[in-house]
Amino acid sequence: MAEQQNQNQNQVVEEDLNHLLKVRREKLAELQEAGKDPFQVTKYDVTVHSSDIKEHYDQWEGKEVTIAGRLMSKRVMGKAAFCNVQDLKGNIQSYVARDSIGEEEYKEFKKLDIGDIVGIKGTAFTTKTGEVSIHAESVDLLTKSLQILPEKFHGLTNTDIRYRQRYVDLIMNPEVRDTFVKRSQIIKAIRDHLDGQGFMEVETPMLVANAGGAAARPFETHYNALDEDVKLRISLELYLKRLIVGGLERVYEIGRVFRNEGVDTRHNPEFTLMELYQAYTDYHGMMDLVENLFRSVALKVLGTAVVTYDGVEIDLSKPFERISMVDALKKYKDIDFTEVHTDEEAKALADKYHVSYEARHKKGDILSLLFEEFVEEHLVQPTFIIDHPVEISPLTKKKPEDPEYTERFELFITKREMANAYSELNDPLDQIERFKAQEALLAAGDDEANSMDDDFINALMIGMPPTGGIGIGIDRFVMLLTDSYAIRDVLLFPTMKSLDK
């Protein structure tokens, strides 16, 4: 019985919706027949945005203003009405009186629908209740909305629809718009900071024959003109290092990379990565650089280096902790990995703590697995985890005093990896052996392993100076500074499964 009632209610709602959509089409047809087709409007001269009038009212009071935006509400009271228009920077109320805009124009105004895009010219004033408003002299319909926006007070809350219809999400949820405005500001602040440090921004190929520089499964496609299979890049690293070989001592790139992996709150198959390389420095220099970068960008965009994420205060103003992966495991789980000397002992330790691993895994792989299982959850405040095992660091210089480990760090904040950096391996003979080890893993079924890159080896043979390099996930950085839980919340158009699937 209840199911039948729900079906009947849904049918009534659908019929009402179809009627409202039909009415909007009829209004458009009437306008077109009267020679007032809004879709023939090509421009409208805007002089100011809503928030500018509100924030600098003393400069605009009594002066003529012209705004344009989306009609979000309308309240008609006989010969006068109030409406609210939303533009890029916010919204503002407008008082529309028949005697001010004309009788015919007022009739047309009353026919406007929520969602229509309008231009309003008038004078800035404050109402009796003290609200900054515009006393309209003219109202022009610039675009007729033929679809209905979500109900005003509930907004758009269904996350699936929000991600699929980001344009509606931006209209209905001002905090979403603010997130993406901040995203743009964050990227600009990163560029400004690096440019000020003497770095040069460059661009490298997205379609590559050999997708290297990270442990990830690539997307594959076919290049018709060359009749060759190619891959979408998973990293920016190997081409940027070629530029260091070529004598460009400080380079960076901010660009899309693509990894054929799962989708969750921290991962999207395509995401934005910033990688930079600096000649004549090491991973300690990279730690200094990234710490200063995070602090500088937060101050510039948010005005503070102390940010709140998921209710927890994250202090970017203090020096970031620096601790080795081995010491971190000792600190948080009381496991002393210095007592582990063989692959067999490492696997026995994993068995003891019920940590899964694969037969091909070696001692260093087990350390990484134990770290992920027992340490990451504790890394809320900014922490550099340094000195990673060589098995998981195929492009990194070994520590001269302990060649089982490498000069590598990952930056963790809010339990998430935010950056990955090395003292870059520049010994071509060592790099050949590392690539061979990676190819053995590839042959053993590890589809995230690298393969030999002969041209990159040739570049190293020419000679690459001692170099520090770093990769920063821009999306996760934006998540941190905008207090966003999921990566989809900071991507305008995240990857979504097709509805017809």
Side-chain angles (χ1 to χ4, degrees):
M1 183 68 179
E3 185 178 344
Q4 181 64 45
Q5 287 178 339
N6 287 335
Q7 289 178 350
N8 292 339
Q9 288 174 351
N10 290 338
Q11 185 176 352
V12 169
V13 169
E14 188 172 347
E15 289 174 356
D16 289 345
L17 183 61
N18 289 336
H19 173 70
L20 293 173
L21 294 174
K22 181 173 179 288
V23 169
R24 292 196 178 208
R25 294 287 185 99
E26 290 172 350
K27 288 180 181 179
L28 175 62
E30 289 175 9
L31 289 167
Q32 291 171 331
E33 289 172 9
K36 298 179 179 180
D37 186 352
F39 295 119
Q40 290 188 359
V41 176
T42 57
K43 63 175 292 189
Y44 189 81
D45 293 324
V46 176
T47 60
V48 65
H49 282 97
S50 58
S51 65
D52 298 327
I53 300 173
K54 291 180 175 181
E55 293 170 9
H56 306 287
Y57 178 67
D58 56 331
Q59 298 176 20
W60 291 101
E61 183 180 10
K63 294 182 180 177
E64 185 177 271
V65 296
T66 306
I67 68 160
R70 193 174 298 276
L71 189 66
M72 298 303 292
S73 67
K74 185 180 68 170
R75 181 163 52 95
V76 178
M77 305 168 294
K79 298 178 182 180
F82 283 97
C83 68
N84 192 283
V85 174
Q86 177 175 289
D87 61 15
L88 171 67
K89 296 185 178 181
N91 62 79
I92 193 166
Q93 177 178 265
S94 181
Y95 173 70
V96 184
R98 185 187 67 179
D99 293 342
S100 297
I101 69 170
E103 189 170 346
E104 235 9 81
E105 289 78 5
Y106 189 65
K107 287 180 181 177
E108 291 179 0
F109 168 79
K110 291 196 293 183
K111 292 181 180 178
L112 293 178
D113 291 306
I114 303 305
D116 288 348
I117 297 175
V118 298
I120 295 180
K121 179 188 290 185
T123 305
F125 80 110
T126 54
T127 64
K128 292 179 181 178
T129 59
E131 183 171 355
V132 175
S133 307
I134 298 172
H135 189 185
E137 299 167 5
S138 65
V139 180
D140 295 304
L141 176 61
L142 307 179
T143 300
K144 184 66 187 172
S145 174
L146 301 178
Q147 186 56 276
I148 295 171
L149 293 175
E151 196 274 321
K152 175 184 175 183
F153 295 101
H154 294 100
L156 182 62
T157 56
N158 182 296
T159 54
D160 189 71
I161 297 176
R162 284 182 52 228
Y163 298 146
R164 292 183 189 278
Q165 299 182 16
R166 183 66 84 185
Y167 42 91
V168 181
D169 190 24
L170 292 167
I171 294 168
M172 300 307 300
N173 296 318
E175 68 279 5
V176 172
R177 187 183 316 179
D178 182 61
T179 291
F180 289 104
V181 169
K182 280 194 172 70
R183 180 186 174 104
S184 178
Q185 293 171 344
I186 289 166
I187 293 173
K188 183 179 185 301
I190 291 171
R191 285 193 165 102
D192 290 345
H193 183 87
L194 294 178
D195 293 346
Q197 299 293 315
F199 283 86
M200 181 174 74
E201 185 172 12
V202 298
E203 295 172 305
T204 60
M206 288 191 181
L207 292 175
V208 295
N210 188 346
R217 180 193 303 167
F219 286 94
E220 298 180 357
T221 186
H222 186 75
Y223 196 159
N224 290 334
L226 299 179
D227 192 26
E228 288 183 0
D229 291 333
V230 291
K231 300 176 177 67
L232 276 68
R233 66 184 181 187
I234 60 173
S235 170
L236 313 173
E237 179 168 347
L238 301 186
Y239 280 96
L240 291 177
K241 285 183 180 177
R242 287 168 166 88
L243 299 181
I244 296 292
V245 171
L248 303 182
E249 294 180 359
R250 299 188 180 203
V251 294
Y252 76 95
E253 181 174 6
I254 299 175
R256 282 295 223 226
V257 295
F258 310 87
R259 298 182 182 179
N260 198 349
E261 58 190 11
V263 176
D264 59 31
T265 57
R266 293 183 294 171
H267 298 90
N268 194 72
E270 56 175 306
F271 61 97
T272 303
L273 182 64
M274 190 282 289
E275 288 197 35
L276 68 81
Y277 293 85
Q278 178 180 341
Y280 311 113
T281 191
D282 63 1
Y283 74 142
H284 292 290
M286 291 296 99
M287 278 186 261
D288 294 340
L289 184 148
V290 73
E291 184 172 331
N292 291 330
L293 174 67
F294 271 55
R295 190 172 298 131
S296 168
V297 172
L299 284 169
K300 189 167 186 179
V301 176
L302 304 179
T304 177
V306 180
V307 304
T308 300
Y309 185 84
D310 196 23
V312 178
E313 192 175 90
I314 306 297
D315 194 345
L316 302 175
S317 67
K318 297 178 180 178
F320 295 3
E321 182 182 5
R322 304 183 182 193
I323 184 172
S324 73
M325 186 176 284
V326 169
D327 289 343
L329 188 59
K330 175 69 173 175
K331 176 179 179 179
Y332 292 107
K333 190 60 179 175
D334 199 27
I335 295 176
D336 188 353
F337 208 78
T338 60
E339 297 179 354
V340 177
H341 303 289
T342 66
D343 296 342
E344 290 69 27
E345 290 175 359
K347 289 178 179 179
L349 189 62
D351 291 335
K352 176 182 176 181
Y353 288 99
H354 309 291
V355 173
S356 300
Y357 57 88
E358 299 177 24
R360 61 181 174 80
H361 281 151
K362 299 181 183 299
K363 174 184 167 184
D365 299 301
I366 301 299
L367 170 59
S368 179
L369 293 171
L370 291 168
F371 168 82
E372 292 173 3
E373 183 71 22
F374 299 121
V375 179
E376 286 188 8
E377 63 180 343
H378 299 285
L379 305 179
V380 177
Q381 295 301 320
T383 306
F384 291 117
I385 298 295
I386 66 174
D387 302 347
H388 294 223
V390 68
E391 289 91 342
I392 62 169
S393 310
L395 298 164
T396 313
K397 273 192 175 182
K398 296 175 183 175
K399 292 179 68 65
E401 69 277 17
D402 190 354
E404 288 190 352
Y405 295 91
T406 61
E407 294 194 345
R408 173 185 175 185
F409 74 78
E410 289 178 335
L411 171 63
F412 283 85
I413 308 176
T414 66
K415 310 176 188 178
R416 293 169 171 168
E417 178 200 336
M418 306 294 290
N420 186 18
Y422 317 145
S423 295
E424 301 297 334
L425 180 61
N426 63 343
D427 178 345
L429 304 181
D430 188 355
Q431 184 65 77
I432 288 171
E433 294 307 311
R434 306 269 195 106
F435 274 143
K436 286 180 178 179
Q438 286 285 300
E439 288 191 323
L441 293 175
L442 195 64
D446 182 357
D447 52 11
E448 294 188 347
N450 289 188
S451 56
M452 186 71 70
D453 188 325
D454 293 326
D455 183 71
F456 178 64
I457 292 297
N458 186 61
L460 292 186
M461 290 286 191
I462 297 293
M464 185 176 82
T467 297
I470 189 165
I472 297 174
I474 296 296
D475 308 306
R476 292 186 187 178
F477 192 16
V478 175
M479 288 167 67
L480 173 66
L481 296 190
T482 59
D483 194 12
S484 300
Y485 175 71
I487 192 171
R488 287 180 171 185
D489 292 330
V490 299
L491 297 175
L492 279 168
F493 301 103
T495 301
M496 303 289 290
K497 189 174 183 178
S498 301
L499 288 172
D500 60 5
K501 297 296 184 183

